[in-house]
Amino acid sequence: MSALILIELNGSEVNASSRAAITAASKLSDSIDALVLTNDSSNSESVSKLAGINSVKMIVDDSLENVNVEVASKLIADVMSGYKYLVSGSSTYSKNILPRVGALLDVQPISDVCEIKSNNTFVRPLYAGNIMATVESSDETIIMTVRATAFEHSGDGGSAEVEVLSITIPESNSTFISLQESQSERPELTTAARIVSGGRGLGSKENFTLIEQLADKLDAAVGASRAAVDAGFISNDYQVGQTGKVVAPQLYLAVGISGAIQHLAGMKDSQVIVVINNDPDAPMSRMADLVWQTDLFGALKELNEYQV
Ligand SMILES: Cc1cc2nc3c(=O)[nH]c(=O)nc-3n(C[C@H](O)[C@H](O)[C@H](O)COP(=O)(O)OP(=O)(O)OC[C@H]3O[C@@H](n4cnc5c(N)ncnc54)[C@H](O)[C@@H]3O)c2cc1C
């Protein structure tokens, strides 16, 4: 009943959602291996240090510098024989790859697992998180993504053996052309301890910089509602919600966001929710720990000028 974790790297570091996947897998199996697809064998260093990992399987090839999902899914499907579980953090990376692995192995992937009830029964959200469904898998091999906000992030302290797999890289019909990544000095949205998030109430891209200023002051990540993204105030990398990022910071400050269910689906697990909104009936206010019912521009000016 061994488990394989598909590791996602940020540069050479193991990302938070892969660390959550290790914790989730530890509830399913005592024997957990990590799989890394990379062009750089020195990446084994950060993976082998992970606590709770027995061994690290690496597939190293220049073509894996930028992962081609068709190639990645075939490689993973090949490695899966002998494993009962394939577990990965819920991210764009895994959501792109795991359904293809599921198709190749003819099994049903289970996405966004928030709780593990038994070795084949899991809790996952439905209808934008309004329903938590308990699902039971009857597949021989179980493939799942887990929410990074629902499991502790496994730390370092291990010393797993590293094995470089000798495996032929399959042909693919698609070719990698380029990667455009947004660069930011701010904390990463999905793992930030504090998030300042802005909505349509900001009114313009220029005004949205007030959110960025406050985020910098609080050493927080910037988030946004889909309405703010659609209006062009900020790029969609920052969208929180059902079709954006799922976050669970210690502090979520929602400014000019009404609190549509699709937005709440992405941030309702935040520990402390503070709302700035001039509408006392905004749904966002109903789930807030603290509501500042006021004009957001006055509030942001005051907060941005506040000297600690
Ligand atoms: C399939 C689907 C998926 C979706 N996915 C997402 C998603 O992932 N994330 C997401 O956010 N949305 C998502 N949406 C959109 C969602 O339904 C809402 O339309 C959106 O969240 C609204 O954004 P908002 O709260 O910024 O805007 P609005 O609903 O327009 O709210 C603006 C708020 O600002 C307040 N305000 C205005 N001016 C001021 C002021 N001067 N001072 C103080 N307060 C002020 C208003 O009172 C209001 O509460 C999705 C919708 C669909 C159909």
Side-chain angles (χ1 to χ4, degrees):
M1 299 273 275
S2 48
L4 186 66
I5 310 289
L6 175 61
I7 296 287
E8 189 176 345
L9 297 168
N10 285 343
S12 60
E13 292 305 311
V14 177
N15 80 357
S17 66
S18 298
R19 290 176 181 274
I22 296 170
T23 306
S26 69
K27 298 177 192 302
L28 296 166
S29 172
D30 291 334
S31 170
I32 302 173
D33 292 343
L35 175 66
V36 189
L37 309 182
T38 180
N39 66 328
D40 182 354
S41 56
S42 69
N43 284 335
S44 63
E45 213 173 293
S46 55
V47 187
S48 63
K49 281 194 304 204
L50 288 167
I53 294 291
N54 285 354
S55 76
V56 180
K57 314 280 178 199
M58 293 193 86
I59 303 178
V60 185
D61 191 89
D62 287 346
S63 66
L64 297 174
E65 181 177 3
N66 292 292
V67 85
N68 171 329
V69 289
E70 288 174 7
V71 169
S73 48
K74 284 182 191 156
L75 291 170
I76 296 164
D78 276 358
V79 176
M80 273 308 288
S81 65
Y83 290 101
K84 167 78 179 169
Y85 301 101
L86 174 63
V87 186
S88 183
S90 210
S91 67
T92 317
Y93 177 78
S94 62
K95 284 180 178 173
N96 213 352
I97 296 173
L98 263 60
R100 293 165 202 264
V101 179
L104 291 168
L105 299 179
D106 196 22
V107 299
Q108 167 70 59
I110 301 168
S111 56
D112 285 330
V113 168
C114 294
E115 189 185 338
I116 292 174
K117 292 269 192 198
S118 76
N119 60 3
N120 68 347
T121 309
F122 312 100
V123 179
R124 64 175 300 271
L126 282 183
Y127 300 114
N130 283 315
I131 293 175
M132 298 307 283
T134 301
V135 296
E136 189 179 300
S137 172
S138 53
D139 282 328
E140 285 283 297
T141 305
I142 296 179
I143 292 183
M144 66 170 92
T145 62
V146 304
R147 284 221 170 149
T149 51
F151 296 92
E152 274 184 27
H153 299 172
S154 178
D156 289 339
S159 56
E161 278 195 14
V162 178
E163 181 189 358
V164 178
L165 303 178
S166 149
I167 194 163
T168 310
I169 304 297
E171 294 288 315
S172 166
N173 291 333
S174 50
T175 315
F176 173 82
I177 293 182
S178 69
L179 172 71
Q180 284 176 300
E181 253 184 329
S182 52
Q183 303 291 340
S184 172
E185 296 290 304
R186 297 192 185 99
E188 208 270 313
L189 183 56
T190 53
T191 52
R194 290 181 284 270
I195 297 175
V196 182
S197 207
R200 195 186 336 243
L202 269 298
S204 70
K205 190 174 179 170
E206 291 67 37
N207 291 340
F208 203 89
T209 57
L210 297 169
I211 295 287
E212 293 165 338
Q213 270 176 42
L214 184 57
D216 289 343
K217 190 158 187 162
L218 298 176
D219 193 20
V222 169
S225 71
R226 177 156 147 186
V229 168
D230 288 350
F233 301 171
I234 190 158
S235 86
N236 68 356
D237 304 352
Y238 297 91
Q239 183 177 317
V240 172
Q242 182 190 340
T243 43
K245 306 262 164 59
V246 176
V247 300
Q250 289 162 16
L251 170 69
Y252 191 84
L253 174 52
V255 186
I257 296 178
S258 61
I261 53 164
Q262 296 90 352
H263 189 81
L264 302 183
M267 47 63 64
K268 64 181 171 44
D269 293 329
S270 305
Q271 287 173 29
V272 175
I273 298 171
V274 178
V275 166
I276 300 177
N277 200 308
N278 57 11
D279 175 6
D281 296 324
M284 196 80 211
S285 303
R286 288 203 284 273
M287 67 177 329
D289 296 281
L290 187 71
V291 180
W292 190 359
Q293 193 198 321
T294 184
D295 175 63
L296 67 87
F297 295 105
L300 287 175
K301 186 169 184 295
E302 218 171 301
L303 289 171
N304 279 328
E305 284 173 3
Y306 186 77
Q307 301 291 332
V308 183

